[in-house]
Amino acid sequence: MNADVIVVGAGLAGLVATHELVKAGRRVLVIDQENRNNLGGQAFWSLGGLFFVDSPEQRRLGIKDSHELALADWMGSAGFDREREDHWPRQWARAYVDFAATEKREYLRELGLKVVPTVGWAERGGGSAAGHGNSVPRFHLTWGTGPEVVRIFAEPVLEGEKRGLVDFEFRHQVDELIVEDGAVVGVRGTVLEPTDLERGKASSRTAVGEFEFRAKAVIVTSGGIGGNHDLVRKNWPTERVGPAPETMISGVPAHVDGRMLAITENAGGNIVNRDRMWHYTEGIVNWDPIWPNHAIRIIPGPSSLWLDATGHRLPAPNFPGFDTNQTMKAILATGHDYSWYILTQSIIEKEFALSGSEQNPDVTGKDVKLLLRSRLAKGAPGPVEAFKQHGVDFVVADNLRELVDGMNKIARGPQLDFDQVEGEVLARDRQFDNKFGKDLQRMAITNARQYRSDKLTRVAKPHRLLDPEHGPLIAVRLNILTRKTLGGLETNLDSQVIRADGEPFDGLYAAGEVAGFGGGGVHGYNALEGTFLGGCIFSGRAAGRALARELA
């Protein structure tokens, strides 16, 4: 194919860029090292949450949001403090919040995307009005989750393939960007042996040939580094959050390997904010894995008691769902790489959600009847109950002594002292004899229940953990789960890659996670978005539209 543009990576950002180019009548070659079953990449596995500002869904729930508040939250969370490396991320942050507060929702609705009527409250922050966190709920869950977000862009791209505007070359692994006269003019690489493996499965890297393709421009949309634990450890922000965990589990498939970062840097592209990453502290081992070391994140409500590996309660405001990076720091400060939730059956039924489209079959399948049975009926949702029964990280017991004994059987570090754990539980429970108290987590639960959606569907009625009416008791061993790369290739607002000297790199663009979701770090140190789909959409759209204009 005589392509105008080569897109390296068939994930969400690559599909969005290709969609915009096809709309402009451009010819696109999409290259990916995995097979066609993996079209859409990591976005397919996501929960499908999207960051909107002052949306109709928010207003119907009585949420008063605004561009001003969202921008303050974003900047307070990002904490941009690097003059050179944060030059473009600052501009991307302002542009992205503008997008989220204006045309983002309608742009997606025109493609057929719908969201559920409730709005979730992701990353509630560190307890400061001017600091990190979402002041109000902004997490809009896609009706159809990640596969639906992929579908609305994949369908027009596949239609473009039928029209001869798009070609795919799967199982093609890029090893080099071709640079001539200071501009990127193509790619070279290795053809990998064919495979019909299911989506997400780790595939072989056996070479069966070589390739070279040329075009007027190349867009790199190859994703981050979360599946490459060696690279995660190399870039780990030890001084900021503590030593890299000895045990990590993978929230992304093995093909999220970060190869194109080094390849693009070797060609002359600039990488910034390498140490900014977004890994979760609430990871559990998938009892029914798809990829190697497959992890699932618990998306928690605020009520579980959070203990470190030694059995001491994490200091405020390290509560479930509040401040990911500070909680990571508190956990690693113990010298161990895991922690514990203690909760009740009442809490798990109301407050435990699991990340991943496959863990939410009701919303993913757009099944209203299943949704009502799963979310509103007695008992935990089916996938959550399955983890409780089969997950290696779960302990269920009728009393605290048996619970602590079970926790000690699966502890990777110190044996828990029963008296210490009992003291933490009793101190917590004494704060639940009244509707008020001095405990900040107790206040956080009360605050969450002031929000209508949380009270009805997300936050359990306050109760003592040792109240037998809410039993049995449950403990969950929480592991560090690798997920997203917040730094990456530096890009301007057209998604054009920047060289080390600060000048744009002719013919080279980048979008999605490989570009830190825009600019090389649009989120700064902390992320408010949730699933990061919005950054893939916004940066992919910017790349596609910029090249459509340039090539016109």
Side-chain angles (χ1 to χ4, degrees), residues 343-402:
L343 61 148
T344 64
Q345 180 67 24
S346 294
I347 292 173
I348 201 172
E349 289 179 5
K350 197 75 172 281
E351 298 196 7
F352 266 34
L354 301 174
S355 65
S357 55
E358 81 284 8
Q359 299 298 330
N360 296 272
D362 48 359
V363 184
T364 300
K366 304 180 187 178
D367 189 329
V368 176
K369 291 182 179 179
L370 179 59
L371 175 69
L372 294 175
R373 290 199 307 271
S374 176
R375 311 286 168 148
L376 300 180
K378 181 69 176 173
V384 173
E385 186 64 28
F387 266 92
K388 194 184 86 173
Q389 293 181 16
H390 305 296
V392 297
D393 298 300
F394 284 74
V395 180
V396 182
D398 291 326
N399 60 69
L400 188 59
R401 176 74 69 175
E402 292 179 1

Side-chain angles (χ1 to χ4, degrees), residues 293-312:
N293 209 16
H294 189 171
I296 296 295
R297 184 205 172 198
I298 296 171
I299 305 173
S303 300
S304 297
L305 178 65
W306 205 338
L307 305 180
D308 66 25
T310 70
H312 291 80

Side-chain angles (χ1 to χ4, degrees), residues 11 72 115 145 206 218 294 338 351 374 382 414 448 453 458 474-475 488 520 541:
V115 297
T145 68
T206 300
V218 172
H294 189 171
Y338 67 98
E351 298 196 7
S374 176
S453 182
R458 199 72 177 92
I474 301 165
R541 187 179 93 139

Side-chain angles (χ1 to χ4, degrees), residues 238-523:
T238 302
E239 292 184 3
R240 194 167 71 251
V241 302
E246 181 177 342
T247 299
M248 298 178 182
I249 51 179
S250 294
V252 294
H255 64 250
V256 185
D257 56 19
R259 289 183 71 256
M260 283 305 301
L261 281 163
I263 290 168
T264 307
E265 185 178 32
N266 289 338
N270 195 41
I271 298 175
V272 293
N273 302 312
R274 297 174 195 264
D275 63 316
R276 293 181 184 168
M277 297 181 248
W278 195 249
H279 305 306
Y280 288 111
T281 53
E282 312 98 329
I284 52 178
V285 176
N286 194 342
W287 66 274
D288 186 20
I290 295 170
W291 54 80
N293 209 16
H294 189 171
I296 296 295
R297 184 205 172 198
I298 296 171
I299 305 173
S303 300
S304 297
L305 178 65
W306 205 338
L307 305 180
D308 66 25
T310 70
H312 291 80
R313 189 178 184 183
L314 293 181
N318 298 311
F319 310 136
F322 274 70
D323 192 327
T324 295
N325 276 337
Q326 286 306 307
T327 306
M328 177 81 75
K329 183 177 181 179
I331 290 168
L332 296 178
T334 68
H336 306 285
D337 56 14
Y338 67 98
S339 59
W340 300 98
Y341 276 167
I342 293 181
L343 61 148
T344 64
Q345 180 67 24
S346 294
I347 292 173
I348 201 172
E349 289 179 5
K350 197 75 172 281
E351 298 196 7
F352 266 34
L354 301 174
S355 65
S357 55
E358 81 284 8
Q359 299 298 330
N360 296 272
D362 48 359
V363 184
T364 300
K366 304 180 187 178
D367 189 329
V368 176
K369 291 182 179 179
L370 179 59
L371 175 69
L372 294 175
R373 290 199 307 271
S374 176
R375 311 286 168 148
L376 300 180
K378 181 69 176 173
V384 173
E385 186 64 28
F387 266 92
K388 194 184 86 173
Q389 293 181 16
H390 305 296
V392 297
D393 298 300
F394 284 74
V395 180
V396 182
D398 291 326
N399 60 69
L400 188 59
R401 176 74 69 175
E402 292 179 1
L403 189 77
V404 174
D405 288 346
M407 294 164 72
N408 280 328
K409 289 179 181 178
I410 63 172
R412 288 198 301 270
Q415 290 290 284
L416 296 167
D417 177 73
F418 174 76
D419 292 338
Q420 169 63 36
V421 174
E422 183 185 43
E424 297 286 12
V425 172
L426 291 175
R428 183 258 187 208
D429 277 7
R430 282 192 289 268
Q431 295 293 310
F432 286 78
D433 291 334
N434 296 289
K435 293 183 178 180
F436 46 82
K438 70 177 182 179
D439 185 85
L440 287 176
Q441 186 174 10
R442 176 69 174 90
M443 298 180 196
I445 294 167
T446 301
N447 181 58
R449 286 176 62 86
Q450 297 301 306
Y451 171 43
R452 188 191 325 162
S453 182
D454 268 2
K455 183 176 182 178
L456 291 175
T457 66
R458 199 72 177 92
V459 182
K461 184 177 180 180
H463 62 273
R464 293 179 290 111
L465 294 176
L466 297 183
D467 184 343
E469 292 186 4
H470 293 276
L473 285 167
I474 301 165
V476 187
R477 182 184 60 186
L478 304 172
N479 310 278
I480 306 302
L481 175 156
T482 62
R483 185 60 65 84
K484 296 297 180 184
T485 315
L486 298 189
L489 294 171
E490 187 178 22
T491 57
N492 61 23
L493 290 177
D494 284 336
S495 288
Q496 189 171 16
V497 173
I498 302 299
R499 293 178 176 273
D501 62 5
E503 294 299 315
F505 199 152
D506 287 347
L508 184 60
Y509 295 73
E513 192 174 354
V514 75
F517 302 92
V522 64
H523 298 95

Side-chain angles (χ1 to χ4, degrees), residues 204-228:
S204 85
R205 292 294 178 262
T206 300
V208 295
E210 297 177 345
F211 69 86
E212 177 177 313
F213 299 116
R214 290 176 175 256
K216 297 171 184 175
V218 172
I219 308 175
V220 178
T221 59
S222 54
I225 68 173
N228 185 340

